Amino acid sequence: MTHPPKSTAAPPPAGPGMAAAPGIPRQPAHPAPAGPPAPSARRTAFAEGVDRLRGAATTEPGRLRLIGAVLALLVVAFGAVTAWQASERAAAADDVLHRSQPLSSGAADIYRSLADANTAASSGFLAGGQETAASRDRYEKDIRTAAAGLVTAAANAEPGSASETTIARLNKLLPEYKGLIERARTYNRQGYPVGGAYLRYANEKMQKEMLPAAEDLYTKENQRLAADYGDATPYPWVAIALGVLALAALGWAQHRTYRRTNRVLNHGLVAASAATTIALLWLVVGHAVARSELNGSYDHGIRSLTVLHDARIASLKARGNENLSLVARGAETITVDGQTYDAYYYDFDKDMTTLGKGLTQAAKLADDQGGSAPVKSAEGNMAVWKQRHTAARTEDENGNYQQALDKVIGAKGATGECFDSVDRNLAQAIGHEQDEFARAAGDGRDAMAGLPVGAAVLAVLGAAGAVFGIGRRLSEYR
């Protein structure tokens, strides 16, 4: 029995209200229209720039442009940092030579002038109504020197600083001290014992208020000097590192060019390397010389000057205490470890010990005959001074006041001669060390002279050479 063949015709589409044939998906009568395409994410200018750079770097001309830009940037950065660091160190070295060290010496002169004025006042008091014109003139000169030093220090002090406060205090105390000295002289000429009390009161104001303030000012100026040395001597490591990096990049660029072209030299890159090398050597050698000279100016100048100033101040204080011991005549005493001493003789012994140690140290620091000879002479003067002082003290303790006075302020063979010799020799030694400092510090500053401008010029030439050398290679692709 035969079956009729199966129809292969597609079933008619289902009309409205009719179900679709089994297994056949239902088609919508009216398809929905397609919507607008989704907007793409917006790219930033930086991302586009990176893409362009990446695309340029895939070609040799693009890579050459990138290499040229990096080389020029490195050379210019090296020159700029070199000029900056060299300028800072040169300015600090100039401050050491012309600002902080003169101010430090000026503060030491203020201290010395005040101490010497006090000594001259006590010496004139011991002479009574017979005070010499030389003693009076010395006192007045010291007061003027101290006042002028305070004016200079005030002009260079930073507003609101501790130094400004100290200077203002000294300016207030100086007239008060002068007034006490004038009263002491007036009563002394009239023969009133109260003159000695005024002198001791003036000395107390000097020793406990004025000299500590002057010492504080001296310490602060020394700190400023040390800070300037600290700014002038450190190695410019950032500039040196950039210089080495720039040379390494230039060397790599020349090696790369050689490998691709078999050309040994690229004139532009060679010129850039030469300019960078000169700037780097100038920086390293110039700073090494400057550092060496500045360190020498500190070791053989500042250290010696500090010791000599301290020794000179100790001698002035010793002389003042020696004079005041005769003015007080035992009225001032001090008890140490259960024993009572004349206060001024006790302080004299301490000052002479300080003076001896200072002279010994100064002799060790002196590095030539010009510095050591006056120190040795001062040591000899000090030894004679101690012998004469012992004789004067013996006379004073035995009640021979006039004999003791003659051995201290007499015209011949007195301790005053020894003190003057010590002071004169120390002044000579200070002058010599000051010259040594100025020479070494000046050489240190001059070693960096022209480096900031020279480094900038060489950097511009080096960058131009790098751009020119890379430009020659780019011209081969046109």
Side-chain angles (χ1 to χ4, degrees):
M1 181 177 175
T2 64
H3 299 282
K6 296 181 178 179
S7 174
T8 59
M18 298 177 61
I24 302 299
R26 185 173 179 174
Q27 300 293 328
H30 301 287
S40 59
R42 188 172 182 179
R43 293 175 57 77
T44 64
F46 176 77
E48 293 177 358
V50 170
D51 285 344
R52 291 193 187 98
L53 186 62
R54 186 183 296 112
T58 58
T59 63
E60 181 62 13
R63 285 191 288 267
L64 286 173
R65 291 188 183 93
L66 182 60
I67 291 171
V70 171
L71 291 177
L73 180 62
L74 280 175
V75 174
V76 169
F78 165 58
V81 174
T82 297
W84 166 53
Q85 292 195 315
S87 295
E88 282 196 335
R89 283 154 178 76
D94 191 71
D95 284 342
V96 166
L97 182 61
H98 291 129
R99 186 178 69 97
S100 52
Q101 196 281 326
L103 290 175
S104 175
S105 291
D109 284 340
I110 292 172
Y111 193 114
R112 185 203 64 78
S113 298
L114 292 174
D116 192 56
N118 200 46
T119 299
S122 61
S123 296
F125 187 91
L126 286 175
Q130 304 300 320
E131 180 182 6
T132 63
S135 176
R136 178 75 182 186
D137 290 343
R138 181 170 183 170
Y139 167 82
E140 294 293 345
K141 180 182 178 181
D142 287 332
I143 293 297
R144 288 194 301 270
T145 301
L150 289 173
V151 170
T152 302
N156 289 277
E158 297 180 0
S161 64
S163 294
E164 186 180 52
T165 303
T166 302
I167 294 166
R169 186 179 177 211
L170 282 170
N171 277 322
K172 179 182 177 182
L173 290 171
L174 188 58
E176 296 177 4
Y177 172 80
K178 290 177 63 180
L180 292 172
I181 291 297
E182 291 308 317
R183 288 186 182 183
R185 280 177 171 154
T186 300
Y187 287 122
N188 187 47
R189 284 194 299 267
Q190 295 174 0
Y192 295 133
V194 73
Y198 272 106
L199 183 65
R200 291 195 299 272
Y201 184 37
N203 176 72
E204 184 177 357
K205 183 176 287 290
M206 176 65 73
Q207 298 293 340
K208 294 184 178 181
E209 297 184 57
M210 299 178 69
L211 290 183
E215 184 178 9
D216 181 61
L217 179 63
Y218 178 52
T219 300
K220 287 182 172 60
E221 295 299 342
N222 277 341
Q223 290 172 349
R224 186 192 299 196
L225 175 60
D228 285 339
Y229 266 106
D231 292 337
T233 55
Y235 281 105
W237 291 117
V238 177
I240 292 173
L242 279 173
V244 172
L245 181 61
L247 279 179
L250 288 166
W252 172 83
Q254 292 180 81
H255 179 68
R256 182 181 185 278
T257 301
Y258 169 72
R259 290 182 59 186
R260 282 166 171 72
T261 64
N262 287 328
R263 295 171 185 167
V264 177
L265 297 177
N266 178 295
H267 296 101
L269 294 179
V270 169
S273 299
T276 305
T277 301
I278 293 172
L280 184 59
L281 288 176
W282 191 355
L283 172 65
V284 173
V285 175
H287 187 270
V289 173
R291 180 185 174 92
S292 175
E293 292 293 340
L294 286 171
N295 286 337
S297 73
Y298 185 85
D299 292 336
H300 303 296
I302 298 301
R303 289 179 62 193
S304 294
L305 284 170
T306 300
V307 171
L308 289 168
H309 280 307
D310 290 343
R312 195 177 186 189
I313 289 169
S315 72
L316 288 165
K317 293 171 70 175
R319 178 60 177 173
N321 284 316
E322 184 177 46
N323 291 339
L324 287 166
S325 65
L326 296 178
V327 173
R329 305 184 72 169
E332 300 287 340
T333 59
I334 185 173
T335 301
V336 179
D337 296 332
Q339 293 187 350
T340 302
Y341 302 92
D342 180 287
Y344 297 114
Y345 280 147
Y346 183 83
D347 287 340
F348 171 87
D349 292 337
K350 288 199 308 181
D351 294 332
M352 292 299 281
T353 300
T354 302
L355 173 60
K357 291 180 179 179
L359 291 176
T360 300
Q361 189 177 1
K364 292 179 180 179
L365 291 173
D367 59 344
D368 57 11
Q369 184 66 20
S372 62
V375 174
K376 291 180 179 178
S377 297
E379 287 179 319
N381 302 144
M382 184 191 70
V384 177
W385 185 1
K386 291 173 71 174
Q387 293 174 359
R388 293 182 180 180
H389 173 79
T390 300
R393 182 183 295 190
T394 300
E395 295 288 356
D396 185 34
E397 291 173 348
N398 291 334
N400 301 321
Y401 179 77
Q402 187 59 48
Q403 287 82 348
L405 190 63
D406 291 339
K407 292 182 180 299
V408 172
I409 63 170
K412 187 175 181 181
T415 58
E417 292 180 352
C418 302
F419 161 72
D420 289 337
S421 296
V422 169
D423 191 69
R424 183 170 54 253
N425 282 307
L426 286 176
Q428 181 181 347
I430 288 172
H432 175 79
E433 296 300 336
Q434 184 70 37
D435 292 341
E436 290 287 298
F437 159 80
R439 180 197 59 77
D443 290 345
R445 180 202 57 185
D446 294 342
M448 290 184 284
L451 177 56
V453 175
V457 172
L458 288 170
V460 172
L461 293 176
V467 171
F468 175 77
I470 296 299
R472 292 293 301 271
R473 286 282 294 123
L474 282 172
S475 64
E476 298 172 2
Y477 290 89
R478 295 172 184 171

